[in-house]
Amino acid sequence: MPSIPEKVHELTVGQLAARSGAAVSALHFYEAKGLISSRRTAGNQRRYSRDTLRRVAFVRAAQRVGIPLATIREALAELPEERTPTREDWARLSEKWRSELDERIRQLNRLRDHLTDCIGCGCLSLDSCVLSNPDDTFGDRLTGSRLMVERARP
């Protein structure tokens, strides 16, 4: 990993990509989504403050556990402007995500446990499929053919 001299307070997009492990296109995407910010030079080149490295690490860690970018952006918006997320920030913010992750784990466990049954039964029935329509929950609430994974609402 290339090092950045202490006297350098701003990073080019290439330096940020090399240090963070994120592709330049990902960094541009993060910036477009409001997760990180840069200033523009007179030549219209992006310059990122050094603390953007920690923000990118925060975003990537949250993404690895499946947190949507909109949720990550909301979490970062709770921090004072230009402040780097700390270990305490991560602990506080990630605690909010725990129930969502627990629900996702529960759904994945159910999928794993019933996958063989679904492939083996061959029914493809929306009435009785334990994976796509557990307990015929769609039939109780909806009419017509709908097959959507529902998320728990807060």
Side-chain angles (χ1 to χ4, degrees):
M1 183 174 333
S3 64
I4 300 166
E6 282 295 319
K7 65 182 178 180
V8 175
H9 297 288
E10 290 186 317
L11 309 172
T12 66
V13 70
Q15 289 171 321
L16 183 59
R19 290 281 297 166
S20 68
V24 169
S25 59
L27 296 173
H28 290 170
F29 181 74
Y30 292 164
E31 189 170 355
K33 294 296 181 184
L35 299 164
I36 61 175
S37 62
S38 67
R39 75 168 186 86
R40 297 294 182 124
T41 66
N44 203 32
Q45 295 175 330
R46 289 176 168 93
R47 293 295 184 263
Y48 298 91
S49 62
R50 289 177 70 97
D51 70 320
T52 305
L53 277 169
R54 186 170 295 231
R55 280 187 167 253
V56 171
F58 183 95
V59 170
R60 293 186 59 155
Q63 280 187 297
R64 272 194 296 278
V65 296
I67 304 301
L69 286 179
T71 304
I72 298 168
R73 183 178 53 247
E74 290 169 9
L76 287 170
E78 292 181 19
L79 300 177
E81 191 62 32
E82 300 302 320
R83 200 184 96 212
T84 316
T86 63
R87 180 184 306 259
E88 292 77 22
D89 292 328
W90 175 259
R92 180 177 47 81
L93 294 170
S94 64
E95 183 62 33
K96 293 178 183 179
W97 302 330
R98 185 173 293 280
S99 63
E100 182 180 334
L101 291 173
D102 287 342
E103 174 61 21
R104 202 169 303 146
I105 289 167
R106 188 190 66 71
Q107 289 174 351
L108 286 170
N109 283 332
R110 184 179 179 126
L111 173 64
R112 182 202 59 216
D113 294 345
H114 292 289
L115 190 59
T116 303
D117 296 340
C118 185
I119 292 170
C121 79
C123 72
L124 300 177
S125 168
L126 290 180
D127 288 337
S128 60
C129 181
V130 296
L131 292 179
S132 63
N133 189 14
D135 305 318
D136 194 22
T137 55
F138 294 130
D140 291 339
R141 293 180 282 124
L142 305 170
T143 60
S145 59
R146 288 180 177 79
L147 185 59
M148 297 175 60
V149 175
E150 290 191 338
R151 295 185 119 178
R153 289 180 174 56

